[in-house]
Amino acid sequence: CPLGHYCPGEGAVVPCPAGTYNDVAGSTNYTDCALCPPGYLCDAEGIVDFDDHPCPPGHYCEAASPAPTPCPAGTYSPAALNEAEAD
């Protein structure tokens, strides 16, 4: 089974859902898809390496974020990898 996916059997190849990643080949269960850590944006299916998907500036990304959350009105963070609103 390829990276970023799990294969539950009988030739099925299923991408890990948005909000998760899988960097292990040969996975057979949905639970092999790990939650994307805070500060990263796993916004697509089948992500292999969360390091390639930092949360963009002006946003924050909590664990398993399938979409970035904009900084509150009147605030801005030019940094990437923000994990919470307070960043």
Side-chain angles (χ1 to χ4, degrees):
C1 194
L3 299 172
H5 297 74
Y6 65 98
C7 299
E10 298 189 27
V13 178
V14 182
C16 288
T20 68
Y21 72 98
N22 186 357
D23 58 0
V24 178
S27 297
T28 59
N29 195 300
Y30 168 81
T31 58
D32 295 324
C33 301
L35 295 178
C36 193
Y40 293 90
L41 177 62
C42 295
D43 61 346
E45 295 181 337
I47 288 180
V48 175
D49 187 355
F50 66 84
D51 281 325
D52 294 336
H53 302 272
C55 193
H59 298 79
Y60 64 94
C61 299
E62 296 176 338
S65 290
T69 302
C71 291
T75 67
Y76 180 76
S77 175
L81 301 175
N82 293 316
E83 298 177 5
E85 186 176 317
D87 293 338

